[in-house]
Amino acid sequence: MGATKTELFTEQQNELASMAKALAHPARIAILQYLVKKNACVCGDIVDELGLAQATTSQHLKELKNAGIIQGTIDGPSVCYCIDPKVWLKYKELFNSFFKNVTIDNNCC
Amino acid sequence: MGATKTELFTEQQNELASMAKALAHPARIAILQYLVKKNACVCGDIVDELGLAQATTSQHLKELKNAGIIQGTIDGPSVCYCIDPKVWLKYKELFNSFFKNVTIDNNCC
DNA sequence: TTATTAAATCGCAATATTGCGATATATTAA
DNA sequence: TTAATATATCGCAATATTGCGATTTAATAA
């Protein structure tokens, strides 16, 4: 007990949930918004930007990398992070189609 | 330590993260998809639908209710759940505007 | 009233997440 | 080589989530 029972759900449901999980922390939202705002690779000032400890920031960056939504490229002594536009688009489309089909005439109890 | 440092982030970032958290479990995705598919209030068969224990299902329903995205109305001995279309729309719009501004010509390192 | 049914809550155990200091790793500069 | 800089990883503590059996709560049925 304690671990999610992924075998009960469809692959699509698990994928959407895991994408949501990647976004489920304000630090990760902030990192993504920062990268989008810069619209370029960002080398090395994300720690200062966030206000969390370096180790914690690195942890969040790792989660975003695992989710595929950002890429980290080694550039000399530092690492450059940027949005992966292809994965970003996939997120966008999956969330979009998830939220699409609700009509407002939902006559509730 | 261990708790999210919400005070470091904007209200908008915390809100989006908390919305993502509500979606960050396949059981909750499954519940929402089920309610959307039925396009009506669903009284009492969500536990059978999911495959999780009654207590666990109730817990997930509670989280979705706390997030505001579903409503539960008492109907005799059972409870009827349905999407709150207004909150659903809000989710849709916030995620939409979050994912909007990424151009593909993101020339990465 | 008593039994039945449906859902919520309690209490617990297992696991996951968040955060950080300390340390390790890797690259550049001197 | 040695020092400096940037990032990753380790190890730990605190907190949160997931899941479930057992119990409680609330409404209907008999």
Side-chain angles (χ1 to χ4, degrees):
Chain A
M1 324 114 190
T4 297
K5 291 199 161 180
T6 53
E7 73 276 9
L8 289 178
F9 308 102
T10 68
E11 207 172 319
Q12 190 231 12
Q13 287 165 341
N14 285 315
E15 189 183 19
L16 192 49
S18 119
M19 282 166 44
K21 208 173 208 173
L23 305 178
H25 194 288
R28 295 195 288 275
I29 295 288
I31 290 170
L32 292 173
Q33 285 179 333
Y34 185 60
L35 292 177
V36 168
K37 199 183 71 183
K38 293 277 178 178
N39 193 31
C41 288
V42 168
C43 306
D45 55 351
I46 294 179
V47 172
D48 306 323
E49 194 64 22
L50 272 195
L52 289 166
Q54 184 267 323
T56 309
T57 305
S58 185
Q59 169 76 20
H60 284 302
L61 286 165
K62 189 185 179 183
E63 279 177 64
L64 290 172
K65 253 196 299 187
N66 288 343
I69 200 165
I70 67 171
Q71 289 175 330
T73 316
I74 295 171
D75 174 43
S78 68
V79 176
C80 296
Y81 287 104
C82 59
I83 302 287
D84 183 328
K86 218 173 138 184
V87 179
W88 184 273
L89 194 65
K90 186 186 172 192
Y91 271 58
K92 181 182 185 167
E93 281 168 357
L94 276 186
F95 276 100
N96 231 309
S97 75
F98 176 76
F99 281 117
K100 197 162 37 187
N101 306 303
V102 168
T103 50
I104 297 295
D105 63 307
N106 212 350
N107 52 335
C108 260
C109 319
Chain B
M1 323 111 189
T4 297
K5 290 199 161 180
T6 53
E7 73 276 10
L8 289 178
F9 307 101
T10 68
E11 207 172 318
Q12 190 232 13
Q13 287 165 342
N14 284 315
E15 189 182 19
L16 192 50
S18 119
M19 282 166 43
K21 209 174 208 172
L23 305 179
H25 194 288
R28 295 195 288 274
I29 295 287
I31 291 170
L32 292 173
Q33 286 179 332
Y34 185 60
L35 292 177
V36 169
K37 199 183 69 182
K38 293 278 178 179
N39 195 30
C41 287
V42 169
C43 307
D45 56 350
I46 294 180
V47 172
D48 306 323
E49 194 63 22
L50 272 195
L52 289 166
Q54 184 267 323
T56 309
T57 305
S58 186
Q59 169 78 19
H60 285 301
L61 286 166
K62 188 184 179 183
E63 280 176 64
L64 290 172
K65 254 197 298 186
N66 288 342
I69 200 164
I70 67 171
Q71 290 174 329
T73 317
I74 295 170
D75 173 44
S78 68
V79 176
C80 296
Y81 288 103
C82 60
I83 302 287
D84 184 329
K86 220 174 138 182
V87 179
W88 185 273
L89 194 65
K90 186 185 172 192
Y91 271 58
K92 181 181 183 167
E93 280 167 358
L94 276 186
F95 275 101
N96 230 309
S97 75
F98 175 76
F99 282 117
K100 196 161 38 188
N101 306 302
V102 168
T103 50
I104 298 294
D105 63 306
N106 211 351
N107 51 335
C108 261
C109 320

